[in-house]
């Protein structure tokens, strides 16, 4: 691919699907104007996230969309030559999943159902059961949603499947139980950045991490969208504000540089590891 521009979005989304679609269209338009080839939108960009992580109201859940819903196809149409990752609530019969889809004007490139569900989410969603990378016009890519990135095995599974870029879609709030007076001091603000940088560095891949901003019910989202290089360095970020974190890089060249001496994936010792099955 050579040098490309990738972008992670920080933006607010809610239950109004038409409003969400207009905001997505604006973000795609802004990214296209900046020459972006890959845009990662937040988790739950279509329909918003839960309003309460401890006791979600079953009558106030995000609208569930089928995998071939016209709104998703509309995002693919808007994407055109770009690759766009977007989160939504997926309906599969009686089950609902916190899901993400990666699209371009050619259609669906890949899908992911969130595997790791924090306590409150189990009342609203079923869990996915796999991590898989897939080929895109910007390189081989894999997706994680929110809590997935807390577990090193998640990104490692994608890296072992050949992912060069890991798209982390989030609706990640400040601490639910011990909120700090200032967002920058919040425990979750520190962890959100730590996980992004660690997952990139330990797998020597590019991480493109989006997040919601604003509030939903009792939750206040962090923002902090960013692009992290394969050495764990933050190349671009939005801090807590809405906007696009845009970085220009040659993904293959950056990964090759990071792995020039130490190649973490090749130097693993699986037989020595316990508790991974």
């Amino acid at each position: 691919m050579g040098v490309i521009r990738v972008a992670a979005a920080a933006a607010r989304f809610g239950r109004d699907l038409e409003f969400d679609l207009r905001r997505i269209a604006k973000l795609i338009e802004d990214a296209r104007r900046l020459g972006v080839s890959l845009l990662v939108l937040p988790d739950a960009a279509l329909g918003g996230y839960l309003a309460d992580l401890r006791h979600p109201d079953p009558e106030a859940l995000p609208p569930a969309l089928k995998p071939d819903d016209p709104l998703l196809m509309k995002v693919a149409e808007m994407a055109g030559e770009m690759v766009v990752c977007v989160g939504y609530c997926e309906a599969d019969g009686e089950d609902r999943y916190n899901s993400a889809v990666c699209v371009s004007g050619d259609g669906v490139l890949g899908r992911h159902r969130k595997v790791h569900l924090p306590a409150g989410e189990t009342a609203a969603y079923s869990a996915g059961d796999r991590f898989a990378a897939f080929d895109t016009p910007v390189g081989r890519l894999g997706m994680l949603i929110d809590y997935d990135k807390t577990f090193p095995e998640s990104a490692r599974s994608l890296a072992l499947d050949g992912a060069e870029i890991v798209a982390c879609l989030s609706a990640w709030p400040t601490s639910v139980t011990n909120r700090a007076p200032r967002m920058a001091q919040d425990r979750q603000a520190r962890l959100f950045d730590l996980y992004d940088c660690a997952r990139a560095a330990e797998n020597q891949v590019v991480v493109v991490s989006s997040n919601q901003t604003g509030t939903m019910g009792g939750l206040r989202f962090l923002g902090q969208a960013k692009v992290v290089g394969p050495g764990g360095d933050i190349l671009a970020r939005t801090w807590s504000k809405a906007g696009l974190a845009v970085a220009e890089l040659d993904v293959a060249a950056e990964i090759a540089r990071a792995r020039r001496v130490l190649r973490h994936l090749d130097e693993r010792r699986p037989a020595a590891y316990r508790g991974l099955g």
Side-chain angles (χ1 to χ4, degrees):
M1 277 297 297
V3 175
I4 61 171
R5 288 187 176 184
V6 300
R12 182 182 182 278
F13 296 92
R15 294 288 183 265
D16 186 335
L17 289 169
E18 290 303 318
F19 171 87
D20 293 340
L21 195 63
R22 289 194 299 272
R23 176 147 291 174
I24 289 171
K26 179 63 165 58
L27 288 166
I28 290 176
E29 176 187 335
D30 291 346
R32 179 171 286 115
R33 190 166 55 249
L34 293 169
V36 167
S37 298
L38 168 66
L39 172 63
V40 179
L41 298 166
D43 173 32
L46 283 169
Y49 187 57
L50 303 178
D52 187 331
L53 261 182
R54 287 176 287 189
H55 305 288
D57 182 354
E59 302 301 319
L61 298 178
L65 309 177
K66 292 183 178 179
D68 60 350
D69 190 279
L71 286 180
L72 295 174
M73 299 306 104
K74 182 65 176 176
V75 175
E77 179 184 330
M78 290 189 296
E81 77 290 353
M82 294 172 57
V83 175
V84 176
C85 300
V86 61
Y88 71 108
C89 175
E90 178 189 346
D92 184 1
E94 295 298 312
D95 292 325
R96 300 162 63 95
Y97 295 90
N98 190 345
S99 292
V101 63
C102 181
V103 299
S104 73
D106 292 329
V108 175
L109 304 173
R111 296 182 182 274
H112 175 61
R113 289 172 170 175
K114 184 175 178 179
V115 173
H116 299 99
L117 304 181
E121 275 200 19
T122 58
Y125 300 114
S126 298
D129 60 5
R130 66 179 61 88
F131 296 97
F134 48 90
D135 294 322
T136 79
V138 296
R140 194 158 174 83
L141 188 146
M143 294 187 289
L144 303 177
I145 299 175
D146 290 320
Y147 198 40
D148 281 338
K149 70 179 173 185
T150 303
F151 299 84
E153 298 87 350
S154 303
R156 177 55 52 86
S157 296
L158 294 175
L160 290 172
D161 198 21
E164 301 166 298
I165 301 171
V166 175
C168 296
L169 297 82
S170 292
W172 196 292
T174 57
S175 178
V176 173
T177 57
N178 190 26
R179 183 175 295 175
R182 296 180 62 242
M183 189 181 293
Q185 299 170 337
D186 195 273
R187 173 176 174 269
Q188 289 301 324
R190 179 178 62 84
L191 289 174
F192 188 77
D193 281 353
L194 177 64
Y195 293 142
D196 285 336
C197 294
R199 298 298 87 88
E202 66 199 6
N203 294 294
Q204 298 171 306
V205 296
V206 174
V207 167
V208 186
S209 175
S210 61
N211 197 18
Q212 291 216 26
T213 60
T215 61
M216 172 67 76
L219 301 180
R220 182 187 181 195
F221 300 108
L222 290 168
Q224 296 183 196
K226 67 183 72 66
V227 179
V228 186
D233 48 320
I234 296 176
L235 306 178
R237 67 187 308 164
T238 65
W239 300 101
S240 62
K241 296 181 179 180
L244 294 175
V246 181
E248 184 174 272
L249 72 165
D250 183 325
V251 174
E254 290 295 328
I255 290 174
R257 185 177 298 111
R259 297 177 181 178
R260 185 172 54 232
V261 177
L262 300 177
R263 299 178 61 86
H264 300 167
L265 299 183
D266 295 343
E267 292 155 1
R268 296 175 307 116
R269 299 292 297 275
Y273 308 147
R274 301 180 60 186
L276 295 182

